[in-house]
C-alpha cells in the first residue's frame, strides 16, 4: 500500500471528501433549523431532487450556474411552503407528510426531466475558485482553497448557523418554539410564523444541496441523483445532536468515507461494487444507533402546535 | 343513515376529494408541459377498465399493493412508520426464489408453502431489524428503513448478478441479472387463461380478512393498536411496548416479503431486476387511502393498481411519462394527511364557506 498511498492520492481523497461533504452539510444545516423549531421535514430528499433538477434546468437554458443556484433556492422555498402548509397549518402527522413530499418531489423532478430534457445532457457547471495565496499553501491549499463556491458557502454556513442559532434573538425564538412552544406563545412569539420561516429556510438549503449535485459535481442530471443523501442528511442532524459543529463532523466523516470508497474503486482494488456502495447506508444506521435517539432532541419535535394545549 | 355509515360516507367523500385535488394539481403540470390533461387522464382512467386485459392487469398490480398495504396498516396502527417495504419486497423475492430454485424436485404441496415461508420470513427479518433498532436503540424507523431499502437493493443486485444468477445467462453469455426459473409445479395458477391474473389475488384477499381479525379481534392485535395509540399509556397498562414494536415491524416486513414471493411465483417465475417496481411506496398510499383499515385497503389497492396501469398506458398512448403517477400519489398522501384536520375541525370549513359565499352555512352539512 505504501507505493499506492502517496501524498497526491491522499490530497485527492481529502479534497474530494471536503467537496462531497457539501450536499450533506447544506441539507443537514437546513434540517437542523427546521427541527430546532419543532418540525420534522422528512421530505428533504424530494426537495433535493427538485433543487437538483431546477439548478440543472436553469443552468442549461440560462447558461449561468449562478442562476441555477437561484432557481434551486426558489424551488426549495416553494417546497418548504407546501410542507409548512401541510405540517404546520393543517397539523398533519409529520412523518407521513414528509413521505408525501418526498414522493411528490421524486415524481415531479422525474416528470419534468423527461418532458423537457429527455436524454443525457451535460452542462457547464460551477468552476473551482482558487483563493489567492491560500491555495498555494502546500497540502492544505489544494484541499481547502481550490473548491467551487457552494463548497465555501456550506463551510461558511457552519459558524454562521451557530451564530444565528445561539446569538440572535431570532435563533432564541427558534429554540424556544422547538422546546416550549406554549411558553414561547405566551411571551408573544409567533410559533406558526417561526416554524414557517424555518421550514422555508431549511428547504431552500435542501434545494441548494440538490443543485450542488447537478451543477457543482456531476454537471448533468440523472434519475435518483440524490441517492438517499437527503435522508442521510436528516440522520446527520441526529448524529450531530442538532448543533452545526456536530453536523460538520458527521458530514466530513461521511464524505471522507465516500471519497475513500470511490478511490478504492478507481485504484482497481478488488471489492464487489455493490458491497462498497452500501457502506454509507450501514454507517448511517450505526451512527443513528450510537447517537441515542431523542436525548438531545428539541422537546416539541414532531408535535403540531395547538394554542391552549400543553405538550 | 346511521351515524356510523354517515361517518364512512363522509370519509369516502373526503378521500375522493383528495384524489380529485391531486389530479387537478397534476393537470396544471400537464398544461405547463403543453399536454392535454383531458386526453392524458382519459387514457389513464378508461384504459384499465375498458377490456379484459386492463381489468386483469389492474388486479395483477392490486396483489402486491394489497399485501404491502396490509403490512403498512399493521405498522402504522402500531405507531411505526415503515417506509422499508421496497427493501422488504426484495428480501422476500430473493428468499423465495433461492429456496425454490434449490429444491426443483420437491412436490408443490410441500415446496409452495416452503417458498412462501421463506419469502415471508426474509421480509420479516428485514423489517424486524428496523423494529429492533427502534425498540432497543431508539433509532428513528423512517431513517433506518430508508437505509435498509438501499442496502437491500444493493445486496439483491449483488445476488442476482453473482451467486444466484441463472446459469443459462452465464453459459449463453447474455448475462441478464436474474435467477433461474423456479420449478413449474409452484407457478401460481392463472385465474383466467390467457391473462396474467393469478391465484395470489385470492391469497391476498384472505390475508386482508385475517389481518382485520388479528388487529381487532385478538388480544395481541389489541395491544399493538394500544401501543400505536399511546406508547406511554400502553406501558403503564403493563404492555411490553418494545416487544410489540418489533413484532409490528416483523409482521409488516413479512407482508411485504410475501408480496415479493407472490411476484416471483405468480408473475415473473424468477427473481428479476426491479421486481419491487415502486410497490413499496404505492402500498403506503393505498393503505393511507384505505384509512389504515385492512378491508378499506382492498378497494384502495384496486384503485391504485388501476392508476399504476393507467399511467403506463398513458405513457404509451400520449407520451406523458409514467412518473406522473408518482406526482399524483405524493399529492394524494399530502391531501389525505391534511384532510384529518378538516375532519376534526368542521368549523374551519364553515368559516371558509362563510368567507367565500358571504353567508352563514350550517356547519354540520347534510343529515
Amino acid at each position: 500500500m505504501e507505493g499506492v498511498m502517496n501524498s497526491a492520492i491522499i490530497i485527492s481523497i481529502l479534497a474530494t471528501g471536503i467537496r462531497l461533504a457539501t450536499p450533506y452539510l447544506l441539507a443537514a444545516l437546513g434540517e437542523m433549523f427546521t427541527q430546532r423549531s419543532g418540525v420534522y421535514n422528512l421530505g428533504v430528499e424530494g426537495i433535493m431532487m427538485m433543487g437538483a433538477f431546477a439548478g440543472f434546468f436553469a443552468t442549461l437554458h440560462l447558461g449561468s450556474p449562478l442562476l441555477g443556484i437561484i432557481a434551486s433556492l426558489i424551488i426549495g422555498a416553494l417546497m418548504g411552503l407546501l410542507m409548512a402548509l401541510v405540517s404546520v397549518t393543517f397539523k398533519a402527522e409529520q412523518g407521513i407528510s414528509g413521505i408525501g413530499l418526498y414522493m411528490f418531489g421524486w415524481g415531479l423532478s422525474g416528470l419534468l426531466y423527461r418532458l423537457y430534457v429527455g436524454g443525457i445532457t451535460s452542462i457547464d457547471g460551477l468552476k473551482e475558485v482558487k483563493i489567492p495565496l491560500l491555495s498555494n499553501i502546500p497540502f492544505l491549499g489544494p484541499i481547502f482553497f481550490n473548491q467551487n463556491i457552494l463548497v465555501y458557502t456550506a463551510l461558511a454556513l457552519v459558524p454562521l448557523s451557530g451564530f444565528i442559532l445561539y446569538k440572535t434573538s431570532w435563533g432564541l425564538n427558534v429554540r424556544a418554539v422547538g422546546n416550549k412552544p406554549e411558553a414561547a406563545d405566551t411571551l408573544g412569539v409567533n410559533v406558526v410564523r417561526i416554524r414557517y420561516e424555518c421550514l422555508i429556510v431549511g428547504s431552500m438549503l435542501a434545494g441548494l444541496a440538490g443543485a450542488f449535485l447537478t451543477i457543482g459535481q456531476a454537471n448533468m442530471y440523472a434519475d435518483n441523483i440524490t441517492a438517499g443523501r437527503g435522508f442521510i442528511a436528516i440522520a446527520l442532524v441526529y448524529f450531530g445532536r442538532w448543533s452545526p459543529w456536530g453536523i460538520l463532523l458527521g458530514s466530513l466523516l461521511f464524505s471522507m468515507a465516500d471519497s475513500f470508497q470511490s478511490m478504492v474503486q478507481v485504484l482497481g482494488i478488488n471489492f464487489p461494487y455493490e458491497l462498497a456502495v452500501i457502506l454509507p447506508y450501514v454507517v448511517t444506521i450505526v451512527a443513528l444507533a450510537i447517537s441515542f435517539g431523542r436525548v438531545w432532541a428539541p422537546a416539541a419535535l414532531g408535535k403540531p402546535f395547538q394554542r391552549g394545549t400543553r405538550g | 343513515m346511521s351515524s356510523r355509515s354517515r361517518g364512512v360516507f363522509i370519509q369516502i367523500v373526503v378521500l375522493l376529494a383528495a384524489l380529485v385535488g391531486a389530479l387537478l394539481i397534476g393537470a396544471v403540470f400537464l398544461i405547463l408541459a403543453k399536454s392535454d390533461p383531458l386526453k392524458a387522464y382519459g387514457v389513464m382512467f378508461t384504459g384499465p377498465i375498458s377490456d379484459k386485459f386492463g381489468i386483469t392487469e389492474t388486479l395483477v398490480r392490486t396483489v402486491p399493493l394489497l399485501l404491502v398495504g396490509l403490512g403498512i396498516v399493521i405498522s402504522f396502527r402500531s405507531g411505526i412508520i415503515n417506509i422499508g417495504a421496497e427493501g422488504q419486497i426484495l428480501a422476500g423475492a430473493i428468499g423465495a426464489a433461492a429456496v425454490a430454485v434449490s429444491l426443483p424436485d420437491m412436490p408443490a404441496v410441500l415446496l409452495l408453502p416452503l417458498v412462501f415461508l421463506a419469502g415471508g420470513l426474509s421480509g420479516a427479518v428485514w423489517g424486524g431489524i428496523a423494529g429492533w433498532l427502534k425498540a432497543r436503540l431508539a433509532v428513528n424507523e423512517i431513517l433506518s428503513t430508508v437505509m435498509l431499502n438501499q442496502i437491500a437493493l444493493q445486496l439483491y443486485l449483488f445476488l442476482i448478478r453473482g451467486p444466484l444468477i441463472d446459469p443459462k445467462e452465464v453459459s449463453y453469455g447474455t448475462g441478464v441479472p436474474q435467477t433461474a426459473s423456479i420449478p413449474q409445479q409452484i407457478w401460481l395458477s392463472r385465474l383466467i387463461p390467457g391473462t396474467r391474473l393469478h391465484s395470489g389475488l385470492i391469497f391476498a384477499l384472505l390475508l386482508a380478512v385475517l389481518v382485520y381479525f388479528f388487529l381487532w379481534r385478538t388480544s395481541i392485535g389489541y395491544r399493538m393498536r394500544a401501543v400505536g395509540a399511546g406508547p406511554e399509556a400502553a406501558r403503564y397498562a403493563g404492555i411490553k411496548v418494545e416487544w410489540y414494536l418489533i413484532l409490528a415491524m416483523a409482521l409488516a416486513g413479512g407482508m411485504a416479503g410475501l408480496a415479493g414471493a407472490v411476484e416471483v411465483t405468480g408473475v415473473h417465475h424468477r427473481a428479476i431486476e426491479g421486481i419491487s417496481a415502486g410497490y413499496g411506496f404505492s402500498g403506503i398510499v393505498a393503505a393511507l387511502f384505505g384509512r389504515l383499515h385492512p378491508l378499506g385497503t382492498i378497494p384502495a389497492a384496486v384503485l391504485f393498481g388501476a392508476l399504476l396501469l393507467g399511467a403506463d398506458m398513458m405513457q404509451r398512448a400520449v407520451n406523458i411519462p409514467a412518473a406522473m403517477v408518482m406526482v399524483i400519489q405524493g399529492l394524494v398522501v399530502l391531501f389525505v394527511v391534511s384532510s384529518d384536520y378538516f375532519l376534526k375541525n368542521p368549523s374551519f370549513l364553515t368559516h371558509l364557506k362563510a368567507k367565500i359565499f358571504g353567508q352563514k352555512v350550517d356547519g354540520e352539512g347534510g343529515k
Side-chain angles (χ1 to χ4, degrees):
Chain A
M1 288 297 274
E2 282 86 352
V4 184
M5 281 297 181
N6 58 37
S7 70
I9 288 174
I10 293 173
I11 287 177
S12 166
I13 288 177
L14 294 177
T16 307
I18 297 279
R19 187 159 49 85
L20 294 180
T22 306
Y24 295 126
L25 254 182
L26 289 169
L29 288 172
E31 179 73 9
M32 179 195 76
F33 278 106
T34 309
Q35 294 204 1
R36 281 286 189 152
S37 78
V39 185
Y40 279 118
N41 182 359
L42 292 161
V44 170
E45 180 89 0
I47 301 170
M48 278 180 74
M49 287 178 176
M50 286 299 291
F53 175 78
F56 164 81
F57 192 68
T59 305
L60 179 66
H61 285 278
L62 304 174
S64 155
L66 289 178
L67 292 174
I69 288 176
I70 293 171
S72 71
L73 289 170
I74 294 171
I75 291 294
L78 290 174
M79 294 288 280
L81 192 63
L82 176 62
M83 184 67 181
L85 189 69
V86 174
S87 295
V88 179
T89 302
F90 296 149
K91 302 179 173 58
E93 156 69 47
Q94 290 162 14
I96 303 174
S97 57
I99 297 168
L101 197 73
Y102 165 46
M103 293 175 77
F104 174 65
W106 177 10
L108 191 56
S109 54
L111 178 74
L112 296 174
Y113 177 67
R114 281 186 191 75
L115 283 174
Y116 288 110
V117 186
I120 294 169
T121 313
S122 64
I123 49 170
D124 285 327
L126 293 168
K127 300 277 179 293
E128 279 80 31
V129 179
K130 270 193 184 166
I131 295 189
L133 300 177
L134 291 176
S135 61
N136 296 330
I137 302 172
F139 199 72
L140 295 180
I143 295 174
F144 287 102
F145 303 112
N146 184 25
Q147 303 276 11
N148 72 45
I149 184 157
L150 285 179
V151 180
Y152 299 131
T153 306
L155 291 172
L157 275 173
V158 175
L160 187 65
S161 308
F163 177 79
I164 293 173
L165 196 58
Y166 296 109
K167 306 281 184 210
T168 66
S169 62
W170 186 76
L172 177 68
N173 286 347
V174 169
R175 286 181 291 133
V177 162
N179 276 317
K180 289 210 173 352
E182 298 79 20
D185 183 54
T186 312
L187 293 172
V189 178
N190 189 334
V191 175
V192 169
R193 189 192 164 124
I194 292 279
R195 289 187 171 173
Y196 261 77
E197 287 167 355
C198 283
L199 266 167
I200 290 171
V201 168
S203 302
M204 287 169 83
L205 288 176
L208 199 58
F212 173 84
L213 298 174
T214 48
I215 64 182
Q217 189 174 324
N219 289 334
M220 54 174 275
Y221 180 88
D223 268 332
N224 201 23
I225 193 167
T226 51
R229 286 188 187 84
F231 289 106
I232 293 178
I234 301 171
L236 286 174
V237 177
Y238 285 71
F239 180 76
R241 290 172 186 168
W242 291 268
S243 94
W245 295 102
I247 287 169
L248 175 67
L249 177 70
S251 301
L252 284 175
L253 279 177
F254 247 85
S255 60
M256 289 297 169
D258 236 5
S259 169
F260 184 73
Q261 177 253 107
S262 57
M263 191 56 78
V264 165
Q265 287 176 49
V266 171
L267 292 176
I269 294 167
N270 194 15
F271 193 70
Y273 164 78
E274 294 87 352
L275 300 186
V277 173
I278 65 173
L279 269 178
Y281 308 115
V282 176
V283 172
T284 304
I285 292 179
V286 173
L288 284 168
I290 60 176
S291 57
F292 296 109
R294 300 182 59 105
V295 180
W296 283 269
L301 185 56
K303 293 175 193 149
F305 174 68
Q306 182 82 53
R307 205 173 234 164
T309 61
R310 307 213 148 259
Chain B
M1 275 196 276
S2 73
S3 71
R4 188 180 163 166
S5 63
R6 205 185 103 190
V8 171
F9 177 72
I10 290 175
Q11 295 225 347
I12 290 174
V13 169
V14 167
L15 288 170
L16 290 179
L19 183 61
V20 170
L23 290 170
L24 285 178
I25 294 182
V28 173
F29 292 118
L30 290 178
I31 292 168
L32 286 175
K34 300 191 181 67
S35 313
D36 182 356
L38 287 179
K39 211 167 124 194
Y41 284 156
V43 175
M44 196 165 156
F45 282 94
T46 57
I49 51 170
S50 58
D51 55 14
K52 189 167 86 172
F53 173 80
I55 292 167
T56 54
E57 282 298 306
T58 291
L59 293 175
V60 167
R61 285 159 180 75
T62 299
V63 177
L65 284 179
L66 179 53
L67 288 170
V68 170
L70 291 173
I72 299 293
V73 169
I74 295 173
S75 61
F76 280 30
R77 286 273 176 190
S78 311
I80 285 205
I81 299 177
N82 167 33
I83 51 175
E86 281 287 304
Q88 293 147 11
I89 294 171
L90 293 177
I94 202 69
V99 169
V101 295
S102 55
L103 299 166
D105 300 321
M106 190 182 267
V109 64
L110 289 176
L111 185 54
L112 191 58
L114 205 59
V115 164
F116 270 55
L117 192 68
L121 274 181
S122 306
V125 167
W126 207 249
I129 292 172
W132 182 83
L133 284 167
K134 182 179 174 75
R136 291 275 172 265
L137 299 167
V139 173
N140 178 304
E141 74 278 15
I142 299 178
L143 298 174
S144 68
T145 49
V146 169
M147 300 304 140
L148 286 165
N149 278 346
Q150 302 276 4
I151 295 168
L153 175 63
Q154 295 301 332
L155 290 177
Y156 183 82
L157 290 175
F158 172 71
L159 288 172
I160 63 172
R161 283 173 187 160
L164 287 175
I165 194 170
D166 188 352
K168 280 184 199 149
E169 294 292 338
V170 178
S171 57
Y172 296 164
T174 38
V176 176
Q178 56 184 23
T179 65
S181 181
I182 59 168
Q184 211 155 353
Q185 69 268 27
I186 58 163
W187 293 13
L188 296 183
S189 55
R190 296 273 142 106
L191 294 179
I192 299 175
T195 72
R196 296 201 303 168
L197 182 58
H198 54 81
S199 53
L201 179 65
I202 297 165
F203 174 70
L205 290 172
L206 287 176
L207 265 182
V209 177
L210 210 64
V211 169
Y212 170 71
F213 274 98
F214 173 73
L215 279 178
W216 272 275
R217 295 281 185 273
T218 69
S219 60
I220 297 179
Y222 170 78
R223 283 187 213 125
M224 286 171 75
R225 287 186 299 119
V227 170
E232 292 315 313
R235 186 170 287 122
Y236 192 72
I239 295 174
K240 287 188 183 120
V241 171
E242 281 74 20
W243 197 84
Y244 285 98
L245 289 178
I246 299 173
L247 178 67
M249 273 306 296
L251 285 173
M255 290 290 166
L258 285 175
V262 166
E263 288 299 283
V264 167
T265 51
V267 180
H268 306 290
H269 303 141
R270 58 175 90 228
I272 60 166
E273 201 174 348
I275 200 168
S276 55
Y279 289 130
F281 290 103
S282 301
I284 298 175
V285 188
L288 288 172
F289 208 78
R291 279 285 171 205
L292 295 181
H293 192 289
L295 303 180
T297 306
I298 296 172
V302 176
L303 176 68
F304 282 93
L307 266 182
L308 291 180
L309 174 67
D312 285 344
M313 291 176 155
M314 183 179 72
Q315 176 160 340
R316 255 170 279 140
V318 289
N319 216 15
I320 301 291
M324 184 71 202
V325 75
M326 188 60 94
V327 177
I328 293 171
Q329 290 183 95
L331 288 168
V332 165
V333 172
L334 292 173
F335 273 101
V336 169
V337 286
S338 301
S339 69
D340 281 342
Y341 179 72
F342 298 105
L343 289 173
K344 282 180 207 148
N345 298 280
S347 63
F348 184 90
L349 279 181
T350 318
H351 287 306
L352 199 66
K353 276 188 216 160
K355 255 188 202 165
I356 293 170
F357 301 112
Q359 62 189 42
K360 239 183 144 41
V361 184
D362 178 22
E364 288 302 302
K367 294 209 168 151

